[in-house]
Amino acid sequence: MKGAAVGDRKWVLPLTVCSLVSVIFFLYTISGHSSSPLPFSITSSFRSTTWPVFIEDKLRAMAAAKTSKSQSLPRLAYLISGSLGDGVMLKRALLALYHPHNLYIVHLDLEATPRERLDLRDFVKNHPLFAAVGNVMMITKANLITYRGPTMVANTLHAAAILLKEGGEWDWFINLSASDYPLVTQDDLLHTMSSLPRDLNFIDHTSNIGWKEFQRAKPIIIDPGLYLSKKEDVFWITQRRSVPTAFKLFTGSAWMALSRAFVEYCVWGWENLPRAVLMYYANFISSPEGYFHTVICNSRDFRNTTVNSDLHFITWDNPPKQHPHYLTAADFDPMAASNAPFARKFPHHDPVLDRIDSELLVRLPGSPTPGGWCAANLNSSSADACLVVGNSTLLRPGPGAARLRLLFSFLLSPENFRPRQCQ
C-alpha cells in the first residue's frame, strides 16, 4: 500500500506542470495579438477601470447615473393612508388623484375595522379602471399607526419599499392621508413637473427646532404600536437624553414629495446614516416630522436637492398645535390662490370638497378626475366618461398648470431655492 501511494505521487508534478502550461496557453490565445507580456496585460486591464475604489463611491456613481436619466413625462408614486372611519374619504381622494400613468398604494391601518379594509380591498380589486390598468395596490396586511410615534415612518418606508420592488420606474414618491385632497388635476401636475429636474426633493424643513428640542428631542418615548396589536398612546421614560452630536436635527412637515434616488437611499442606502437616524427617531415624539428631514440634510449627496416646501395649503393656530385647522368653504379662495397642488386637513364629506371637484378638478361624483388619457368625450356628463383609457401619456393641462408654474418658479427662484436649503 505504501509503494502504491509513492507511485501515485510520481504523476502529481508532471500533471501540475502540464495543467499550468495549458492554462497559460489558453490565456495567451484569448488575449489576441497583444504585444505585451501576459502579466502586464492583466494588470493594465484592472487599472483601466473607471470605477472608484470604495463601495460607497461606486454606489453613488450608480445612483447619479440613474438620476441623470430623464423621461419626457414623469411618473408619480402615491401613498394614501387612513385609519378608523377614513375608508370613504380615502376612496374619494384616490379617485380625485387618479391617473393611469401614475402608481398608487393605499393603506388603512389596523385600527380600521375589518369591514372597512375589506370594502377598500373590493373597491380596488373590482373597480373597472383600476383592474384594467393595474396601477393601484393595497397593503392588505395592515400596520398599526401611531402618529406621534415612529410607526408612521415605518409604514411610509414599507410602502416605499413595495413601490421600489413592484412599481417599476417612477420619479417621485408622494405621501398623503385620507384627509388630503388635490387642488389641481394630475394632468396639471405631470405637465408642470415634466420640466423639473428629477432629483429634487420637496420637503419642508428647518434646523431651528426651538421648543421641540426640550419637548421632543430630549424626552424618550416608547410607542406601543411597535409591539401591541391595539393602538395605545405613547408613554414617556423618566430619563432624558442630550441632543445628538453625530448629526444635526431638522424638523418640518410630515408630507413631502421625495425623489426616487433619495427613497432608495433611505430604504437600502449605501451609508449607515438612514438606519442610525431611524434608530434615534424610534424614541422621538412626532418622528414623521423629523426623520426624512434629518436624513436628507445630513447627507452630502442629497442636502443640495431640497426644495423647502411640502406642496400643501395648511392653516395653523399661532402658535401651532398638534394638528392644523379643518378646512371649510371659507378657505376655498385662499386655497386656490396658494397655487399649492394639495391641501389638508378636510372634514369628512365637507361641502368644500364638492366645490373643489366642480371648480378646480371638473370631476363628477364617483368618477376619476378627467384628463387627456380619457378615451371618452371629456364634455360628457356621465360618471362613466373616464372608465376607458386611451393614451395615458396624453396631457390636457388646465388653469391649475398655470398656478403650479407660478409656485415652482417661486420655490426655485435664486432668492428661495439655495438660501433655504437645510438651514
Side-chain angles (χ1 to χ4, degrees):
M1 295 294 293
K2 183 175 180 180
V6 173
D8 290 341
R9 285 198 294 267
K10 291 179 180 179
W11 295 99
V12 174
L13 183 58
L15 181 61
T16 303
V17 172
C18 291
S19 299
L20 183 58
V21 171
S22 299
V23 171
I24 292 174
F25 179 78
F26 174 75
L27 292 174
Y28 179 79
T29 302
I30 65 173
S31 66
H33 300 285
S34 173
S35 59
S36 303
L38 183 60
F40 178 77
S41 299
I42 296 176
T43 303
S44 63
S45 69
F46 279 100
R47 287 178 178 173
S48 65
T49 182
T50 58
W51 284 112
V53 174
F54 301 107
I55 186 65
E56 293 89 345
D57 293 331
K58 290 181 183 180
L59 291 168
R60 286 192 186 101
M62 292 170 64
K66 178 179 278 190
T67 302
S68 66
K69 296 178 181 178
S70 61
Q71 304 168 356
S72 59
L73 187 65
R75 197 178 190 200
L76 308 179
Y78 283 95
L79 164 64
I80 311 173
S81 54
S83 188
L84 177 65
D86 288 335
V88 174
M89 281 286 287
L90 196 155
K91 289 188 287 186
R92 179 171 184 164
L94 175 60
L95 287 171
L97 290 160
Y98 185 78
H99 193 286
H101 186 68
N102 293 334
L103 289 166
Y104 301 86
I105 189 164
V106 295
H107 175 257
L108 278 176
D109 77 4
L110 204 56
E111 190 179 31
T113 65
R115 176 180 288 274
E116 270 189 300
R117 291 200 299 276
L118 286 172
D119 180 64
L120 179 62
R121 185 200 67 178
D122 292 342
F123 177 74
V124 170
K125 181 180 178 181
N126 298 325
H127 193 283
L129 183 58
F130 304 162
V133 180
N135 63 337
V136 180
M137 297 177 284
M138 178 180 175
I139 300 177
T140 53
K141 190 175 181 181
N143 299 309
L144 188 61
I145 308 299
T146 306
Y147 179 79
R148 297 208 297 170
T151 43
M152 182 176 172
V153 173
N155 186 65
T156 303
L157 292 171
H158 180 200
I162 293 173
L163 288 165
L164 288 173
K165 181 181 178 182
E166 306 290 348
E169 292 297 320
W170 48 266
D171 298 281
W172 278 286
F173 170 77
I174 301 175
N175 68 323
L176 300 173
S177 77
S179 300
D180 291 73
Y181 212 69
L183 302 177
V184 297
T185 69
Q186 291 302 291
D187 276 18
D188 294 333
L189 190 57
L190 290 169
H191 170 75
T192 312
M193 296 188 80
S194 63
S195 62
L196 300 180
R198 305 296 162 87
D199 62 344
L200 292 178
N201 289 278
F202 296 88
I203 179 168
D204 172 80
H205 62 280
T206 179
S207 63
N208 183 19
I209 62 176
W211 58 269
K212 293 182 180 180
E213 178 178 334
F214 181 79
Q215 296 190 16
R216 292 187 179 178
K218 292 187 175 181
I220 303 175
I221 62 102
I222 299 295
D223 184 357
L226 294 172
Y227 58 89
L228 295 182
S229 58
K230 186 176 181 181
K231 183 180 290 188
E232 293 184 11
D233 196 11
V234 300
F235 60 88
W236 279 258
I237 306 300
T238 55
Q239 289 83 3
R240 300 173 73 85
R241 58 185 172 183
S242 59
V243 175
T245 58
F247 46 83
K248 187 176 182 180
L249 293 181
F250 286 79
T251 187
S253 171
W255 314 103
M256 57 204 75
L258 303 176
S259 69
R260 184 188 180 103
F262 179 64
V263 171
E264 288 179 335
Y265 174 70
C266 291
V267 173
W268 37 63
W270 52 86
E271 294 175 328
N272 203 38
L273 176 66
R275 286 169 287 275
V277 176
L278 184 63
M279 294 298 99
Y280 173 79
Y281 274 95
N283 305 112
F284 194 98
I285 288 289
S286 298
S287 55
E289 298 175 5
Y291 170 70
F292 292 101
H293 318 68
T294 298
V295 172
I296 200 167
C297 284
N298 283 274
S299 168
R300 70 179 178 89
D301 296 299
F302 294 101
R303 63 170 63 114
N304 293 326
T305 67
T306 60
V307 181
N308 206 329
S309 172
D310 62 3
L311 303 181
H312 273 68
F313 175 84
I314 307 175
T315 62
W316 297 88
D317 288 310
N318 189 14
K321 295 181 180 178
Q322 179 71 33
H323 298 286
H325 290 152
Y326 279 108
L327 300 175
T328 63
D331 299 295
F332 180 83
D333 290 336
M335 271 191 284
S338 72
N339 301 326
F342 310 105
R344 72 181 319 268
K345 185 176 184 182
F346 290 97
H348 290 190
H349 314 301
D350 193 273
V352 70
L353 295 172
D354 298 329
R355 188 175 177 189
I356 292 172
D357 281 342
S358 62
E359 297 187 28
L360 300 182
L361 304 181
V362 197
R363 188 183 83 90
L364 297 173
S367 66
T369 299
W373 57 270
C374 295
N377 183 1
L378 292 184
N379 296 321
S380 171
S381 59
S382 171
D384 297 335
C386 286
L387 291 183
V388 178
V389 178
N391 183 355
S392 63
T393 62
L394 177 63
L395 302 181
R396 289 179 180 162
R403 300 199 307 271
L404 287 173
R405 280 195 295 271
L406 291 175
L407 174 68
F408 291 130
S409 296
F410 172 78
L411 294 175
L412 299 175
S413 65
E415 299 80 16
N416 292 294
F417 182 39
R418 296 297 182 196
R420 299 182 63 205
Q421 285 183 328
C422 297
Q423 299 294 321

